Amino acid sequence: MGKPHEKKPAVASDNLYVFGIDDEGKPRGARFAEFNDKVVSAAGNMRLKSVHAASAAFNSIAMKLPVGRLYASGKAFVPPIRRDLVDKLNAVLATPGDGSKTQEPSFTSASTDEPTGPSDEPKVRVAGLPKTWDSVDVGSVVLAMDGPEDGWWECVVLKREDAVLTLRLRDYPKQGTYIRHLTQVALINPGAE
């Protein structure tokens, strides 16, 4: 008979998570087996949050993220994910008492400047779904009508001046901007708390 198998202790869950909305407005996320400065740096370059030493509540949701990869060049592969998963992860982090350590991406002042040409679009991080009209601000996602025959589209707020919003289509950011009064947009149901 051979040597009896020893049971290995249960491996701790992945301790580095990367997620958020990238420069193109697409939700991305991944989990990595261990904390790595290169992954955190690559996530910051992609405008994604890094979470390590996550709480149990965050871990339970974040385990739905696909496994990410770090290449020798220092670039990380962070696949696309569903937008509602990003919203759920952000909701857990916003919960009072959540002990997760989060590193937010750094935004330079150039990321919020007005565009200087057709390819230079303002980079605005999507903040989420506002719950009230007063909470509609830069980065919020609202619905706006393009025309009676085209219907309602998800738009990201680029600028708010009193009740006048400057918007761009969330899924088609290169289509240009729209100017709408606050009463001409609709809020998306943020779901139960």
Side-chain angles (χ1 to χ4, degrees):
M1 295 255 272
K3 187 173 160 183
H5 286 64
E6 289 183 26
K7 285 192 174 182
K8 293 184 180 180
V11 178
S13 63
D14 299 326
N15 63 1
L16 178 61
Y17 304 99
V18 173
F19 73 98
I21 307 296
D22 69 7
D23 287 339
E24 298 174 358
K26 295 179 182 174
R28 295 191 174 275
R31 56 189 163 100
F32 295 86
E34 59 187 26
F35 180 82
N36 187 322
D37 286 329
K38 288 182 180 180
V39 173
V40 174
S41 175
N45 291 339
M46 297 174 71
R47 306 281 191 240
L48 304 176
K49 279 184 194 175
S50 300
V51 178
H52 53 92
S55 67
F58 185 88
N59 269 335
S60 66
I61 297 172
M63 288 307 292
K64 295 177 183 175
L65 291 171
V67 176
R69 287 180 286 218
L70 178 66
Y71 299 112
S73 65
K75 292 187 177 185
F77 173 69
V78 181
I81 60 171
R82 292 179 24 187
R83 191 170 297 271
D84 67 328
L85 184 54
V86 172
D87 293 339
K88 288 177 186 176
L89 292 170
N90 280 325
V92 171
L93 290 177
T95 304
D98 183 71
S100 302
K101 293 182 182 177
T102 305
Q103 182 168 344
E104 297 281 339
S106 60
F107 294 97
T108 61
S109 61
S111 66
T112 57
D113 288 344
E114 290 296 318
T116 56
S119 64
D120 295 334
E121 301 209 8
K123 306 287 192 240
V124 177
R125 194 175 93 188
V126 177
L129 303 176
K131 296 182 186 213
T132 65
W133 293 104
D134 293 333
S135 64
V136 174
D137 203 3
V138 173
S140 297
V141 178
V142 296
L143 293 174
M145 184 180 273
D146 192 21
E149 64 279 346
D150 294 326
W152 295 81
W153 293 84
E154 293 90 355
C155 293
V156 177
V157 177
L158 299 177
K159 185 167 65 170
R160 179 176 180 169
E161 293 177 355
D162 295 323
V164 178
L165 306 175
T166 302
L167 311 166
R168 75 165 160 78
L169 294 173
R170 182 190 70 187
D171 298 329
Y172 305 98
K174 297 190 187 294
Q175 291 290 344
T177 59
Y178 299 87
I179 306 294
R180 297 287 187 269
H181 191 273
L182 190 60
T183 59
Q184 294 177 306
V185 299
L187 300 180
I188 301 171
N189 183 356
E193 302 237 356

